Amino acid sequence: MEGSAMTLYEFRCALKDVRDNRKQICSILESIKNARDDILGTVFSGAIDYSADKVQHQSDPDARLINAIAKADKYNEMLLEKLDRLESNDQRFERMICEDDSIAGEVIRLYILDGLSWKEVALQLKYSESYVRGLWNNGTIAMWERFEKANE
């Protein structure tokens, strides 16, 4: 994005993408945590690995285990690459959000980084939902202006 002008609408969409990406990141981390167990669990159930990376004949239990480990490692590598892409795209926006210590910044932080709904943000800050949305509007405009100024 650096060097190119971004409209306020595009900036807000990018912030909402950060929110969506954080959900995806949590899902990817959960998948990474469970992937090896899920894949290795197929080895002991008698499942056959039809992947192109067969080590040797499938009746050999060691071969099935080696194939399953290789499959789990490839899957984890793919998930980690996706995770890196999501995190690198979002870091600049997350830094901007965390640096804003205004009440509008707190609204943005709760909504984007913590993933709270507008109602939950309003309850936590003890404001009305419409006031919170107004803070969002003003806060994103101010943040977008800082973003554009930094890219001049």
Side-chain angles (χ1 to χ4, degrees):
M1 299 280 168
E2 203 163 77
S4 65
M6 182 184 281
T7 66
L8 177 59
Y9 175 78
E10 291 169 334
F11 182 78
R12 286 180 174 157
C13 286
L15 286 176
K16 288 180 180 178
D17 286 346
V18 170
R19 176 185 167 96
D20 293 339
N21 290 349
R22 289 177 76 83
K23 291 176 187 173
Q24 284 185 35
I25 288 168
C26 289
S27 174
I28 289 170
L29 291 173
E30 187 66 25
S31 294
I32 289 171
K33 188 174 101 178
N34 297 328
R36 192 173 203 99
D37 292 338
D38 291 346
I39 292 172
L40 291 179
T42 64
V43 172
F44 305 108
S45 66
I48 297 175
D49 181 6
Y50 292 104
S51 70
D53 301 333
K54 292 182 182 176
V55 175
Q56 51 187 308
H57 193 271
Q58 286 294 320
S59 62
D60 181 355
D62 291 338
R64 288 197 313 250
L65 182 59
I66 291 168
N67 284 333
I69 290 170
K71 187 176 180 180
D73 289 345
K74 276 186 178 182
Y75 183 68
N76 278 347
E77 188 175 311
M78 183 266 310
L79 289 174
L80 288 170
E81 287 172 7
K82 185 175 182 179
L83 186 66
D84 285 343
R85 280 192 307 273
L86 289 172
E87 287 178 336
S88 66
N89 289 339
D90 295 348
Q91 284 177 348
R92 184 169 187 196
F93 290 106
E94 289 178 10
R95 187 173 51 251
M96 286 183 68
I97 292 168
C98 290
E99 289 172 354
D100 188 343
D101 59 358
S102 68
I103 189 65
E106 182 68 13
V107 168
I108 296 168
R109 192 170 21 266
L110 291 171
Y111 182 71
I112 299 295
L113 300 184
D114 293 350
L116 300 181
S117 68
W118 290 119
K119 187 175 187 172
E120 292 169 325
V121 172
L123 287 171
Q124 185 161 338
L125 296 177
K126 296 179 176 62
Y127 293 127
S128 71
E129 195 172 330
S130 62
Y131 185 67
V132 164
R133 286 178 181 263
L135 288 169
W136 159 267
N137 187 48
N138 294 336
T140 55
I141 290 170
M143 194 174 285
W144 170 65
E145 289 171 347
R146 287 191 305 276
F147 178 82
E148 286 298 306
K149 187 176 181 180
N151 285 333
E152 289 179 345

